Structure formats: C-alpha cells, structure tokens
Amino acid sequence: MSDITESISPAESIPTASIPTAPPTAATVTRAERTGSGAFATARQLRRYWILVGTLTLLSVVIAVGIVTWDNPMPFGTAGFWRITQMRATNLVVIAIVVVCQAVATVSFQSATNNRIITPSIMGFEALYVAIQTAAVFFMGAVGVTALTGVPQFALMVVLMVGFSLMLYGWLLSGKYGNMQVMLLVGIVLGGGLGSVATFMQRMLTPSEFDILTAKLFGSVSNADASYLPLAIPLCIGAAGTLWWRSRRLNIIALGKDVTTNLGLDHRREIMLVLFLVSVLMATTTALVGPLTFLGFLVATLAYQFATTHDHRFVFPVAILTGFVILGGAYFVLKNIFYAEGAVSIIIEAVGGTAFLYVILRKGRL
C-alpha cells in the first residue's frame, strides 16, 4: 500500500485542470489601474485631468477669440479691423497677466501658510494701494490721479508694495521666535490701519475728487495702460515661472514645517522665498488693474476641486485656465451683452465672496 502511495506524485493525484482560478476582483482591477505614487492615484484620474485641461483650454481660446473679434465694426482684413483687434488684444494680455498673478500667488500662499481660506490680500497689498491713491488725490487734488500714471509711477507702486511685504517677512519671520500666524495677524492689523487712514482722507475730499478716486479704486481691466506691459510681463513670467519650477518644493512645504525640516529643506528660507515671489505677483496685478480681493481665492478653490491632486505642477495650470475662463468670460459677457464693462470686478468679488463664506461655513473642508 505504501509503495502505491509513493508512486503517485502530488501533481498526478490532483489534475491541474481541476484547480479553479479565482476571477479578477474589483481590488485587482483597481491595483492594475493605479499609476503608482505620483500625482494621481489611478490612470482614470490622470485621464480625467487631461480632459479637464483640454476643455478649459478650448473655452479659453473661444473666449479669447470672442474678446478680440466680437462686434468689430470694420470689414475683416482692413487696416481698421486689425487696429481695433490690436487694441482689444491689449486687454486680453492684461487679463492673462492678472489671472496668472492671482492664481499662482494664491495657490502658493495657501501652501506656504498651510491654510486654504486666506489669500495674499491679507498682507495689506490692496490696502496700501488704496492708501497711496487716496493720499495722492488728498494732497494734490484731482491732478493726483494723473501724477500716479506712467511707467516710473507703476514701478514705484510695485516697489512700495514689495518693500512693505518684505518688511513684514523680515521682521516677523526672522529670528528665533519667527511665527507665521503672528505675521498674518500683523498684516491684517496694518491693512486695517491703512484702510482707516484712507477712509478718513476720502471723507475730506470734494465730491468730484471722490468720484475720480472711486473710479480708480475699482479693479478694472481698463485701468491698465499698455505702456505698463513691458515691465509687468517680465515680472509676471519670472515670478510665476520660478514658483512653477519649484513646485516639488512647494509640495513638501505644504506638508508643514516638521515634515519639510525632516526632508532636508530649510523651512524658513523656503517660506521667505515663496512669500517674496508671491508679493511680486500681487504687487504687479494690483498696480496694474487695482484691487481684486476674491478672484484668487475663487480660482484656487475651484482648481483644488477640479484637479483632484495636491501636486502644484498640475494645480497651477488648472488654476490659471480656470481663472482665465472666469475673468475673461465675465469681461466678454458684461462688455458685449450688458455693456457694463466696469462691473466685472463687482461680479467677481460678489461670486468670490460668496464662495469664501461657503468655505468658511463648511469649516474649510473643501
């Protein structure tokens, strides 16, 4: 009996065909679709991202063509047609600069502060802009508005805003007890103080001076001068390009100080550099078109929802394209349908403020 048992091998006793094979489960399919430890968990998310980018790009192109060519009174191909197209293209470039500055600055600032419900405006850029414009009209009268018009004045405005922010960073983030929360609180207080001073001076103006000043204080594409673009474009491309190039470092900074330090980065140095680049972007857009408080917040919030990733290399393009669709679309509709070009900033601020309150009420879960 033992000889018979020994002569039969395990493979012979259990035929291979009789072993059932388990069907692929959902978990097996999911593991097969995963892209690894990259920016997206699955290949489906990656495809969804590129479809989203393609859709936003197509919408941006349609809006850009509409802004440039819609309702052009001159026949196509004539010198007058191209002259009008060139004038409208200037507004298109301004919209692109504003969107890039606001989107990249807000996403980077929220990552540096590890807080998605605040914007760079909290540092007092817009309050300083309003105070400077109001002081010019207060001391020089209506001529003060023209006194702050020109490329040197634009450059001076940018330098003052960047210097103001560097003063806060160097003062409150340097030393042994440097603290980000204290810096944000001081920025809020200084911004409120500048706003109070500006309000006091505005009450002392004549009705005509106040009317001229109010038109300047509303963020509007028409506030931009084409002569500012040779200076604004390099500042925008340089600062935004540097932040995109350092996207991987921003990914680490967003994890917090302890993780950043453990991974070998100087957290304070990285934060200072990011905030400096953010201040350049915000100073450029504010000096170019005026205050737009909630545009960056609205764009960044939507970009996080659309991109479904925390990798800044992929969040930045979605934020920029989303911002162009929002700002460019609002400009096109209000200018060509409702003939209310100046109301663009009002609509953007209303929608952005509503989104801000929505996020606050949901306790920042978005």
Side-chain angles (χ1 to χ4, degrees):
M1 185 69 179
S2 60
D3 296 338
I4 298 174
T5 305
E6 291 176 357
S7 63
I8 300 176
S9 63
E12 294 174 346
S13 60
I14 304 177
T16 305
S18 63
I19 301 177
T21 58
T25 61
T28 306
V29 176
T30 303
R31 285 194 298 268
E33 290 183 351
R34 287 180 181 174
T35 59
S37 59
F40 299 94
T42 64
R44 180 181 179 183
Q45 290 184 354
L46 181 60
R47 289 194 300 269
R48 180 180 176 273
Y49 173 83
W50 288 116
I51 292 173
L52 171 67
V53 170
T55 303
L56 291 175
T57 302
L58 180 61
L59 288 175
S60 299
V61 171
V62 171
I63 292 172
V65 173
I67 291 175
V68 172
T69 61
W70 182 270
D71 199 22
N72 192 322
M74 303 300 294
F76 178 79
T78 62
F81 177 88
W82 294 116
R83 189 175 299 111
I84 295 175
T85 300
Q86 184 178 4
M87 293 173 60
R88 294 180 177 180
T90 301
N91 292 337
L92 191 64
V93 174
V94 171
I95 292 174
I97 292 174
V98 172
V99 166
V100 171
C101 290
Q102 290 278 351
V104 175
T106 304
V107 173
S108 302
F109 186 79
Q110 290 179 348
S111 297
T113 58
N114 199 19
N115 192 322
R116 288 192 178 182
I117 61 173
I118 59 177
T119 66
S121 301
I122 200 174
M123 300 307 301
F125 294 103
E126 296 170 357
L128 180 61
Y129 172 85
V130 172
I132 293 174
Q133 295 287 343
T134 304
V137 177
F138 180 80
F139 290 108
M140 292 183 286
V143 184
V145 174
T146 58
L148 293 178
T149 303
V151 177
Q153 291 84 344
F154 173 78
L156 177 62
M157 190 80 69
V158 173
V159 170
L160 287 176
M161 293 183 190
V162 175
F164 177 77
S165 62
L166 288 180
M167 179 190 69
L168 288 179
Y169 305 156
W171 172 33
L172 298 172
L173 289 182
S174 61
K176 184 178 179 181
Y177 301 102
N179 189 285
M180 176 71 71
Q181 285 70 31
V182 173
M183 183 199 71
L184 296 176
L185 290 174
V186 172
I188 294 173
V189 172
L190 292 179
L194 290 172
S196 299
V197 173
T199 302
F200 171 76
M201 289 189 291
Q202 289 173 10
R203 292 181 180 276
M204 305 294 290
L205 300 177
T206 63
S208 59
E209 293 173 344
F210 181 78
D211 185 55
I212 296 174
L213 176 64
T214 302
K216 190 70 175 177
L217 296 184
F218 276 106
S220 175
V221 176
S222 60
N223 286 341
D225 194 324
S227 60
Y228 300 164
L229 298 182
L231 180 59
I233 291 175
L235 289 174
C236 175
I237 294 177
T242 303
L243 286 170
W244 186 85
W245 179 64
R246 298 174 63 86
S247 294
R248 296 183 185 274
R249 292 177 177 261
L250 277 172
N251 295 340
I252 299 175
I253 293 172
L255 298 176
K257 180 178 180 180
D258 295 336
V259 176
T260 303
T261 304
N262 290 335
L263 292 176
L265 295 180
D266 187 343
H267 182 263
R268 182 172 297 172
R269 176 180 175 276
E270 296 294 332
I271 289 293
M272 291 283 288
L273 181 57
V274 170
L275 293 180
F276 168 72
L277 295 172
V278 167
S279 65
V280 172
L281 292 174
M282 290 302 298
T284 301
T285 180
T286 304
L288 186 64
V289 299
L292 289 171
T293 305
F294 289 109
L295 175 62
F297 174 83
L298 177 63
V299 168
T301 301
L302 293 177
Y304 290 129
Q305 299 300 303
F306 292 161
T308 64
T309 179
H310 297 279
D311 194 331
H312 291 76
R313 294 174 300 165
F314 299 97
V315 175
F316 281 149
V318 174
I320 292 172
L321 291 172
T322 303
F324 189 89
V325 170
I326 292 174
L327 184 58
Y331 178 82
F332 175 80
V333 171
L334 292 176
K335 180 177 184 294
N336 296 289
I337 298 179
F338 296 102
Y339 304 101
E341 177 184 349
V344 173
S345 62
I346 300 175
I347 300 300
I348 295 295
E349 297 299 277
V351 176
T354 303
F356 178 78
L357 292 176
Y358 178 75
V359 173
I360 291 295
L361 294 176
R362 293 194 61 179
K363 300 180 181 179
R365 284 184 291 169
L366 284 180

Short mmCIF file of all heavy atoms in Angstrom, two decimals, residues 93-144:
data_model
loop_
_atom_site.label_atom_id
_atom_site.label_comp_id
_atom_site.label_asym_id
_atom_site.label_seq_id
_atom_site.Cartn_x
_atom_site.Cartn_y
_atom_site.Cartn_z
N VAL A 93 -4.20 90.55 -23.08
CA VAL A 93 -2.92 90.33 -22.39
C VAL A 93 -3.02 90.73 -20.93
O VAL A 93 -2.49 90.05 -20.04
CB VAL A 93 -1.79 91.11 -23.10
CG1 VAL A 93 -0.49 91.02 -22.32
CG2 VAL A 93 -1.58 90.59 -24.51
N VAL A 94 -3.70 91.83 -20.66
CA VAL A 94 -3.88 92.27 -19.26
C VAL A 94 -4.64 91.22 -18.47
O VAL A 94 -4.27 90.89 -17.32
CB VAL A 94 -4.61 93.63 -19.22
CG1 VAL A 94 -5.00 93.99 -17.79
CG2 VAL A 94 -3.75 94.72 -19.82
N ILE A 95 -5.71 90.67 -19.04
CA ILE A 95 -6.48 89.62 -18.36
C ILE A 95 -5.59 88.41 -18.07
O ILE A 95 -5.63 87.84 -16.97
CB ILE A 95 -7.70 89.21 -19.22
CG1 ILE A 95 -8.70 90.36 -19.29
CG2 ILE A 95 -8.36 87.97 -18.64
CD1 ILE A 95 -9.86 90.10 -20.23
N ALA A 96 -4.76 88.02 -19.04
CA ALA A 96 -3.87 86.88 -18.84
C ALA A 96 -2.87 87.15 -17.71
O ALA A 96 -2.61 86.27 -16.88
CB ALA A 96 -3.14 86.56 -20.14
N ILE A 97 -2.31 88.35 -17.66
CA ILE A 97 -1.35 88.68 -16.60
C ILE A 97 -2.02 88.63 -15.24
O ILE A 97 -1.49 88.07 -14.27
CB ILE A 97 -0.74 90.07 -16.87
CG1 ILE A 97 0.14 90.04 -18.11
CG2 ILE A 97 0.07 90.54 -15.66
CD1 ILE A 97 0.67 91.39 -18.52
N VAL A 98 -3.20 89.23 -15.15
CA VAL A 98 -3.92 89.25 -13.88
C VAL A 98 -4.24 87.84 -13.40
O VAL A 98 -4.06 87.50 -12.22
CB VAL A 98 -5.21 90.10 -14.00
CG1 VAL A 98 -6.07 89.96 -12.74
CG2 VAL A 98 -4.87 91.56 -14.23
N VAL A 99 -4.70 87.00 -14.32
CA VAL A 99 -5.08 85.63 -13.96
C VAL A 99 -3.86 84.84 -13.49
O VAL A 99 -3.91 84.14 -12.47
CB VAL A 99 -5.75 84.95 -15.16
CG1 VAL A 99 -5.84 83.46 -14.94
CG2 VAL A 99 -7.14 85.53 -15.38
N VAL A 100 -2.76 84.94 -14.22
CA VAL A 100 -1.55 84.20 -13.83
C VAL A 100 -1.06 84.66 -12.46
O VAL A 100 -0.73 83.84 -11.59
CB VAL A 100 -0.45 84.38 -14.90
CG1 VAL A 100 0.87 83.79 -14.40
CG2 VAL A 100 -0.86 83.70 -16.20
N CYS A 101 -1.01 85.97 -12.26
CA CYS A 101 -0.54 86.50 -10.97
C CYS A 101 -1.44 86.07 -9.83
O CYS A 101 -0.96 85.57 -8.79
CB CYS A 101 -0.46 88.03 -11.04
SG CYS A 101 0.85 88.68 -12.10
N GLN A 102 -2.74 86.23 -9.98
CA GLN A 102 -3.66 85.91 -8.90
C GLN A 102 -3.70 84.41 -8.62
O GLN A 102 -3.68 83.99 -7.45
CB GLN A 102 -5.07 86.40 -9.28
CG GLN A 102 -5.24 87.91 -9.29
CD GLN A 102 -5.49 88.48 -7.90
OE1 GLN A 102 -5.70 87.75 -6.95
NE2 GLN A 102 -5.49 89.79 -7.81
N ALA A 103 -3.75 83.59 -9.66
CA ALA A 103 -3.86 82.15 -9.46
C ALA A 103 -2.60 81.57 -8.82
O ALA A 103 -2.68 80.87 -7.80
CB ALA A 103 -4.13 81.47 -10.80
N VAL A 104 -1.45 81.86 -9.39
CA VAL A 104 -0.20 81.29 -8.88
C VAL A 104 0.11 81.83 -7.49
O VAL A 104 0.54 81.09 -6.59
CB VAL A 104 0.96 81.59 -9.85
CG1 VAL A 104 2.29 81.10 -9.28
CG2 VAL A 104 0.69 80.93 -11.20
N ALA A 105 -0.12 83.12 -7.27
CA ALA A 105 0.17 83.72 -5.97
C ALA A 105 -0.72 83.13 -4.87
O ALA A 105 -0.24 82.82 -3.78
CB ALA A 105 -0.01 85.23 -6.03
N THR A 106 -2.01 82.97 -5.15
CA THR A 106 -2.92 82.47 -4.12
C THR A 106 -2.64 81.01 -3.78
O THR A 106 -2.60 80.63 -2.60
CB THR A 106 -4.38 82.62 -4.59
OG1 THR A 106 -4.63 83.99 -4.91
CG2 THR A 106 -5.34 82.18 -3.50
N VAL A 107 -2.45 80.16 -4.79
CA VAL A 107 -2.16 78.75 -4.53
C VAL A 107 -0.85 78.62 -3.74
O VAL A 107 -0.76 77.84 -2.76
CB VAL A 107 -2.09 77.96 -5.84
CG1 VAL A 107 -1.61 76.54 -5.59
CG2 VAL A 107 -3.45 77.93 -6.51
N SER A 108 0.17 79.36 -4.12
CA SER A 108 1.46 79.30 -3.42
C SER A 108 1.34 79.82 -2.00
O SER A 108 1.92 79.24 -1.06
CB SER A 108 2.51 80.10 -4.19
OG SER A 108 2.65 79.63 -5.51
N PHE A 109 0.61 80.91 -1.81
CA PHE A 109 0.46 81.49 -0.48
C PHE A 109 -0.30 80.55 0.44
O PHE A 109 0.06 80.39 1.61
CB PHE A 109 -0.28 82.83 -0.60
CG PHE A 109 -0.37 83.59 0.69
CD1 PHE A 109 0.70 84.33 1.16
CD2 PHE A 109 -1.54 83.60 1.44
CE1 PHE A 109 0.63 85.03 2.35
CE2 PHE A 109 -1.64 84.30 2.61
CZ PHE A 109 -0.55 85.03 3.08
N GLN A 110 -1.33 79.92 -0.06
CA GLN A 110 -2.09 78.98 0.77
C GLN A 110 -1.25 77.76 1.14
O GLN A 110 -1.38 77.22 2.24
CB GLN A 110 -3.36 78.55 0.04
CG GLN A 110 -4.39 79.66 -0.08
CD GLN A 110 -5.64 79.23 -0.82
OE1 GLN A 110 -5.67 78.17 -1.45
NE2 GLN A 110 -6.68 80.05 -0.77
N SER A 111 -0.37 77.33 0.25
CA SER A 111 0.51 76.21 0.56
C SER A 111 1.56 76.61 1.59
O SER A 111 1.88 75.84 2.50
CB SER A 111 1.20 75.70 -0.71
OG SER A 111 0.25 75.21 -1.63
N ALA A 112 2.09 77.83 1.46
CA ALA A 112 3.12 78.29 2.39
C ALA A 112 2.55 78.48 3.80
O ALA A 112 3.23 78.18 4.79
CB ALA A 112 3.73 79.60 1.89
N THR A 113 1.32 78.96 3.88
CA THR A 113 0.70 79.19 5.19
C THR A 113 -0.08 77.99 5.69
O THR A 113 -0.58 78.01 6.82
CB THR A 113 -0.25 80.39 5.11
OG1 THR A 113 -1.25 80.16 4.11
CG2 THR A 113 0.51 81.67 4.78
N ASN A 114 -0.21 76.96 4.82
CA ASN A 114 -0.95 75.75 5.18
C ASN A 114 -2.38 76.08 5.58
O ASN A 114 -2.92 75.54 6.55
CB ASN A 114 -0.24 74.99 6.31
CG ASN A 114 -0.69 73.54 6.40
OD1 ASN A 114 -1.24 73.00 5.44
ND2 ASN A 114 -0.47 72.91 7.54
N ASN A 115 -3.01 76.96 4.80
CA ASN A 115 -4.37 77.42 5.10
C ASN A 115 -5.04 77.78 3.79
O ASN A 115 -4.54 78.63 3.04
CB ASN A 115 -4.34 78.63 6.03
CG ASN A 115 -5.71 78.95 6.61
OD1 ASN A 115 -6.72 78.83 5.94
ND2 ASN A 115 -5.74 79.36 7.86
N ARG A 116 -6.18 77.17 3.50
CA ARG A 116 -6.86 77.38 2.22
C ARG A 116 -7.98 78.41 2.28
O ARG A 116 -8.71 78.57 1.29
CB ARG A 116 -7.44 76.05 1.72
CG ARG A 116 -6.39 75.08 1.24
CD ARG A 116 -7.04 73.93 0.51
NE ARG A 116 -6.07 72.99 -0.02
CZ ARG A 116 -6.37 71.92 -0.73
NH1 ARG A 116 -7.65 71.65 -0.99
NH2 ARG A 116 -5.44 71.11 -1.17
N ILE A 117 -8.13 79.10 3.37
CA ILE A 117 -9.20 80.09 3.44
C ILE A 117 -8.66 81.52 3.54
O ILE A 117 -9.40 82.44 3.86
CB ILE A 117 -10.15 79.81 4.63
CG1 ILE A 117 -9.39 79.86 5.96
CG2 ILE A 117 -10.84 78.48 4.45
CD1 ILE A 117 -10.30 79.75 7.16
N ILE A 118 -7.37 81.71 3.25
CA ILE A 118 -6.80 83.05 3.25
C ILE A 118 -6.15 83.30 1.90
O ILE A 118 -5.83 82.37 1.16
CB ILE A 118 -5.77 83.26 4.38
CG1 ILE A 118 -4.62 82.27 4.24
CG2 ILE A 118 -6.43 83.13 5.74
CD1 ILE A 118 -3.53 82.47 5.28
N THR A 119 -5.98 84.57 1.57
CA THR A 119 -5.38 84.97 0.30
C THR A 119 -4.24 85.94 0.57
O THR A 119 -4.13 86.49 1.68
CB THR A 119 -6.43 85.64 -0.60
OG1 THR A 119 -6.83 86.88 0.00
CG2 THR A 119 -7.64 84.75 -0.79
N PRO A 120 -3.38 86.19 -0.42
CA PRO A 120 -2.30 87.17 -0.21
C PRO A 120 -2.78 88.57 0.12
O PRO A 120 -2.01 89.38 0.65
CB PRO A 120 -1.54 87.14 -1.54
CG PRO A 120 -1.86 85.81 -2.14
CD PRO A 120 -3.26 85.49 -1.70
N SER A 121 -4.04 88.88 -0.19
CA SER A 121 -4.56 90.21 0.13
C SER A 121 -4.54 90.48 1.62
O SER A 121 -4.60 91.66 2.04
CB SER A 121 -6.00 90.33 -0.39
OG SER A 121 -6.05 90.13 -1.78
N ILE A 122 -4.45 89.43 2.43
CA ILE A 122 -4.44 89.60 3.87
C ILE A 122 -3.20 90.35 4.34
O ILE A 122 -3.17 90.90 5.44
CB ILE A 122 -4.53 88.22 4.56
CG1 ILE A 122 -5.02 88.34 6.00
CG2 ILE A 122 -3.19 87.50 4.54
CD1 ILE A 122 -5.26 86.99 6.66
N MET A 123 -2.16 90.39 3.48
CA MET A 123 -0.92 91.06 3.84
C MET A 123 -0.97 92.56 3.63
O MET A 123 0.01 93.26 3.90
CB MET A 123 0.24 90.46 3.05
CG MET A 123 0.44 88.97 3.29
SD MET A 123 0.58 88.55 5.03
CE MET A 123 1.99 89.52 5.49
N GLY A 124 -2.07 93.09 3.14
CA GLY A 124 -2.24 94.54 3.04
C GLY A 124 -1.83 95.16 1.73
O GLY A 124 -1.68 96.38 1.65
N PHE A 125 -1.67 94.36 0.66
CA PHE A 125 -1.29 94.92 -0.63
C PHE A 125 -2.33 95.92 -1.13
O PHE A 125 -2.01 97.04 -1.53
CB PHE A 125 -1.11 93.81 -1.67
CG PHE A 125 0.03 92.88 -1.38
CD1 PHE A 125 -0.21 91.62 -0.85
CD2 PHE A 125 1.33 93.25 -1.63
CE1 PHE A 125 0.83 90.76 -0.59
CE2 PHE A 125 2.38 92.40 -1.36
CZ PHE A 125 2.13 91.15 -0.84
N GLU A 126 -3.57 95.49 -1.10
CA GLU A 126 -4.64 96.33 -1.64
C GLU A 126 -4.90 97.53 -0.74
O GLU A 126 -5.21 98.62 -1.24
CB GLU A 126 -5.90 95.48 -1.82
CG GLU A 126 -5.70 94.38 -2.85
CD GLU A 126 -6.84 93.39 -2.87
OE1 GLU A 126 -7.76 93.55 -2.05
OE2 GLU A 126 -6.81 92.48 -3.72
N ALA A 127 -4.77 97.36 0.57
CA ALA A 127 -4.93 98.49 1.48
C ALA A 127 -3.85 99.54 1.23
O ALA A 127 -4.12 100.75 1.26
CB ALA A 127 -4.89 98.01 2.93
N LEU A 128 -2.62 99.10 0.96
CA LEU A 128 -1.55 100.04 0.65
C LEU A 128 -1.81 100.74 -0.67
O LEU A 128 -1.58 101.97 -0.78
CB LEU A 128 -0.21 99.30 0.61
CG LEU A 128 1.03 100.15 0.30
CD1 LEU A 128 1.22 101.21 1.38
CD2 LEU A 128 2.27 99.27 0.19
N TYR A 129 -2.30 100.01 -1.66
CA TYR A 129 -2.63 100.61 -2.96
C TYR A 129 -3.70 101.69 -2.79
O TYR A 129 -3.57 102.80 -3.32
CB TYR A 129 -3.09 99.52 -3.91
CG TYR A 129 -3.63 100.04 -5.23
CD1 TYR A 129 -2.78 100.33 -6.28
CD2 TYR A 129 -5.00 100.22 -5.42
CE1 TYR A 129 -3.27 100.78 -7.50
CE2 TYR A 129 -5.50 100.69 -6.63
CZ TYR A 129 -4.63 100.96 -7.65
OH TYR A 129 -5.12 101.43 -8.86
N VAL A 130 -4.76 101.37 -2.04
CA VAL A 130 -5.84 102.34 -1.81
C VAL A 130 -5.32 103.55 -1.05
O VAL A 130 -5.67 104.70 -1.37
CB VAL A 130 -7.00 101.67 -1.05
CG1 VAL A 130 -8.04 102.71 -0.63
CG2 VAL A 130 -7.65 100.59 -1.90
N ALA A 131 -4.47 103.33 -0.06
CA ALA A 131 -3.93 104.45 0.73
C ALA A 131 -3.07 105.37 -0.14
O ALA A 131 -3.15 106.60 -0.01
CB ALA A 131 -3.12 103.90 1.90
N ILE A 132 -2.24 104.79 -1.02
CA ILE A 132 -1.39 105.62 -1.88
C ILE A 132 -2.23 106.43 -2.86
O ILE A 132 -2.01 107.64 -3.05
CB ILE A 132 -0.37 104.73 -2.63
CG1 ILE A 132 0.61 104.11 -1.63
CG2 ILE A 132 0.38 105.54 -3.68
CD1 ILE A 132 1.55 103.11 -2.26
N GLN A 133 -3.20 105.79 -3.49
CA GLN A 133 -4.06 106.51 -4.44
C GLN A 133 -4.86 107.61 -3.74
O GLN A 133 -4.99 108.72 -4.26
CB GLN A 133 -5.02 105.52 -5.11
CG GLN A 133 -4.35 104.47 -5.98
CD GLN A 133 -3.83 105.04 -7.29
OE1 GLN A 133 -4.22 106.14 -7.71
NE2 GLN A 133 -2.95 104.31 -7.95
N THR A 134 -5.37 107.30 -2.55
CA THR A 134 -6.16 108.30 -1.81
C THR A 134 -5.28 109.45 -1.36
O THR A 134 -5.68 110.63 -1.44
CB THR A 134 -6.83 107.64 -0.59
OG1 THR A 134 -7.63 106.54 -1.03
CG2 THR A 134 -7.72 108.64 0.13
N ALA A 135 -4.08 109.16 -0.88
CA ALA A 135 -3.17 110.22 -0.44
C ALA A 135 -2.79 111.15 -1.59
O ALA A 135 -2.67 112.37 -1.41
CB ALA A 135 -1.92 109.61 0.19
N ALA A 136 -2.60 110.58 -2.79
CA ALA A 136 -2.25 111.40 -3.94
C ALA A 136 -3.37 112.39 -4.26
O ALA A 136 -3.11 113.58 -4.51
CB ALA A 136 -1.96 110.52 -5.15
N VAL A 137 -4.61 111.93 -4.24
CA VAL A 137 -5.73 112.83 -4.51
C VAL A 137 -5.94 113.80 -3.35
O VAL A 137 -6.29 114.98 -3.55
CB VAL A 137 -7.01 112.01 -4.78
CG1 VAL A 137 -8.21 112.93 -5.00
CG2 VAL A 137 -6.82 111.10 -5.99
N PHE A 138 -5.72 113.34 -2.13
CA PHE A 138 -5.94 114.19 -0.95
C PHE A 138 -4.97 115.37 -0.93
O PHE A 138 -5.36 116.50 -0.62
CB PHE A 138 -5.77 113.34 0.31
CG PHE A 138 -5.98 114.11 1.58
CD1 PHE A 138 -7.26 114.38 2.06
CD2 PHE A 138 -4.89 114.56 2.32
CE1 PHE A 138 -7.45 115.10 3.24
CE2 PHE A 138 -5.08 115.27 3.50
CZ PHE A 138 -6.36 115.54 3.96
N PHE A 139 -3.71 115.13 -1.26
CA PHE A 139 -2.70 116.19 -1.17
C PHE A 139 -2.56 116.98 -2.46
O PHE A 139 -2.17 118.16 -2.41
CB PHE A 139 -1.33 115.59 -0.80
CG PHE A 139 -1.26 115.07 0.60
CD1 PHE A 139 -1.22 113.71 0.85
CD2 PHE A 139 -1.25 115.94 1.69
CE1 PHE A 139 -1.16 113.22 2.14
CE2 PHE A 139 -1.20 115.47 2.99
CZ PHE A 139 -1.15 114.10 3.22
N MET A 140 -2.87 116.38 -3.62
CA MET A 140 -2.67 117.08 -4.89
C MET A 140 -3.96 117.35 -5.64
O MET A 140 -3.92 117.91 -6.73
CB MET A 140 -1.72 116.26 -5.77
CG MET A 140 -0.30 116.20 -5.23
SD MET A 140 0.83 115.30 -6.34
CE MET A 140 0.30 113.62 -6.04
N GLY A 141 -5.09 116.91 -5.10
CA GLY A 141 -6.35 117.12 -5.79
C GLY A 141 -6.54 116.12 -6.91
O GLY A 141 -5.91 115.05 -6.94
N ALA A 142 -7.41 116.46 -7.87
CA ALA A 142 -7.68 115.55 -8.98
C ALA A 142 -6.44 115.29 -9.83
O ALA A 142 -6.34 114.27 -10.51
CB ALA A 142 -8.79 116.13 -9.86
N VAL A 143 -5.47 116.22 -9.77
CA VAL A 143 -4.23 116.03 -10.52
C VAL A 143 -3.45 114.84 -9.98
O VAL A 143 -2.61 114.26 -10.66
CB VAL A 143 -3.37 117.31 -10.45
CG1 VAL A 143 -2.11 117.18 -11.31
CG2 VAL A 143 -4.19 118.50 -10.91
N GLY A 144 -3.74 114.44 -8.72
CA GLY A 144 -3.01 113.33 -8.12
C GLY A 144 -3.18 112.02 -8.86
O GLY A 144 -2.29 111.17 -8.84
#
